[in-house]
Amino acid sequence: MDEALLRTLTPTVLGILVRRGADFAGAEDAVQEALVEAVRVWPDDPPKDPKAWLVTVAWRKFLDAARADVSRRHREVRVEREPIPGPGEAADDTLWLYFLCAHPSLTPASAVALTLRAVGGLTTRQIARAYLVPEATMAQRISRAKRTVSGVRFNQPGDVATVLRVLYLVFNEGYGGDVDLAAEAIRLTRHLVALTDEPEVAGLLALMLLHHARRASRTGPGGRLVPLGEQDRSRWDTGLIAEGVTILQAALARDRLGEYQAQAAIAALHADARSASETDWVQIVEWYDELLLLTGSPVVRLNRAVAVGEADGPQAGLAALAEVSPDLPRYAAVRAYLLERAGDLEHAAELYAEASRAATSVPERDHLIREAARVRQLLRP
């Protein structure tokens, strides 16, 4: 059973059902049932055309469920019992689905959450982590979104800003783990750039490319996390960096600055430095100031504190950090780093250990444990 193939086909099949007139919740349930059927049947009787098979079975499942509903008993649609030979509907419906999930009846936050769960393939826990809310809160938000659009015909797409937010979060999740997820987000954003001249769309693509260019150097043997300052820059993809910078420069020339362009500018400054010591931290702080004005994000404020610490010294960084809530994820790790640079090794070691216990991934946890051990070693006479 090719699970990767099933995962790849799921958004396309879902899109075809919605385009045929299925409501989103019903289509999602039908596709899930078809996937279960595929897992059961395909090992012994693989279809010649997997996508056509899934479309046929999922559509039949949807119609069966629709006919069971009293209010829809009048809908009698003839369905072929065997998959039609051939490629089926060749269009890639994934980006179209992103727009449909950003339905005007949903708030932007709910639309993003629903799309990440239903189309992006993220778990409720992953989405909750991205939004800095408890998992139970996010589960309720997604459930409310599904109820809101239940029975709605998806023929009114949402706005570009919501779709960009979804693509950004999908890329971030993939950048930290699943390579294919990040690559898929880049592919969809490239497609969106070809469809619109919005500078923020180009800014998001530039941001993705600049970050993805560093991917090969982010981990060492055994998945060991390598911080930006310690990465082997010779392993960075200079082709992706050059493309990202070119796209960013064209977007910035439009003089319609947005948060993704500002983030991409910060990434470009990191990419431009031949070594960590040559990083232009003063400019990076200036871009964080712009980004903070655009977003007011506490995460941006946290990252700005690190940049201030690099540009103006650890005490200045700690003063900037005082404006950030200690409850924010990675606060303890940032404070530990700044305290270590300020010479307070004992408290730095304690905070590295505390941060490791709150880490959201195994590589991050192990890295922080190593940092705590390294600083404790420095304390020994």
Side-chain angles (χ1 to χ4, degrees), residues 123-307:
T123 65
T124 303
R125 177 176 296 178
Q126 289 171 321
I127 302 169
R129 188 171 67 224
Y131 271 91
L132 307 179
V133 299
E135 184 177 352
T137 300
M138 183 53 64
Q140 292 174 357
R141 184 181 298 178
I142 293 171
S143 295
R144 285 195 300 270
K146 286 184 176 181
R147 287 196 299 271
T148 299
V149 299
S150 179
V152 171
R153 182 177 290 269
F154 277 67
N155 55 6
Q156 188 176 0
D159 63 3
V160 172
T162 302
V163 174
L164 287 182
R165 181 64 178 165
V166 175
L167 290 170
Y168 173 71
L169 292 175
V170 168
F171 175 82
N172 280 348
E173 194 61 42
Y175 185 65
D178 188 335
V179 180
D180 292 336
L181 202 58
E184 175 69 356
I186 291 173
R187 185 187 69 81
L188 292 172
T189 307
R190 284 189 188 279
H191 187 41
L192 189 55
V193 166
L195 297 175
T196 178
D197 63 351
E198 286 290 330
E200 268 293 79
V201 179
L204 178 58
L205 178 57
L207 174 64
M208 290 178 174
L209 294 174
L210 289 163
H211 278 304
H212 209 58
R214 303 199 302 258
R215 186 177 182 92
S217 63
R218 291 183 71 247
T219 55
R224 183 186 181 113
L225 183 65
V226 181
L228 176 60
E230 301 173 17
Q231 289 175 14
D232 179 359
R233 300 184 179 220
S234 68
R235 299 184 65 196
W236 290 2
D237 189 326
T238 54
L240 286 181
I241 291 173
E243 183 185 5
V245 169
T246 299
I247 292 171
L248 173 62
Q249 289 173 338
L252 291 174
R254 304 282 299 279
D255 199 23
R256 289 163 54 192
L257 184 64
E259 62 174 298
Y260 301 119
Q261 295 169 70
Q263 288 190 60
I266 293 169
L269 286 167
H270 283 297
D272 188 54
R274 290 177 297 178
S275 65
S277 62
E278 296 178 71
T279 304
D280 190 342
W281 287 106
V282 173
Q283 271 204 72
I284 288 176
V285 171
E286 291 173 356
W287 277 110
Y288 270 122
D289 289 340
E290 293 283 354
L291 190 54
L292 198 55
L293 288 174
L294 289 166
T295 67
S297 165
V299 175
V300 171
R301 199 177 295 275
L302 179 71
N303 292 334
R304 178 184 178 276
V306 176

Side-chain angles (χ1 to χ4, degrees), residues 7 17 20 25-26 32 92 98 113 118 207 237 246 265 282 318-319 379:
R7 180 176 177 179
L17 264 63
R20 287 183 177 182
Q32 291 301 317
D92 184 347
Y98 274 58
L207 174 64
D237 189 326
T246 299
V282 173
L318 288 167
L379 286 168

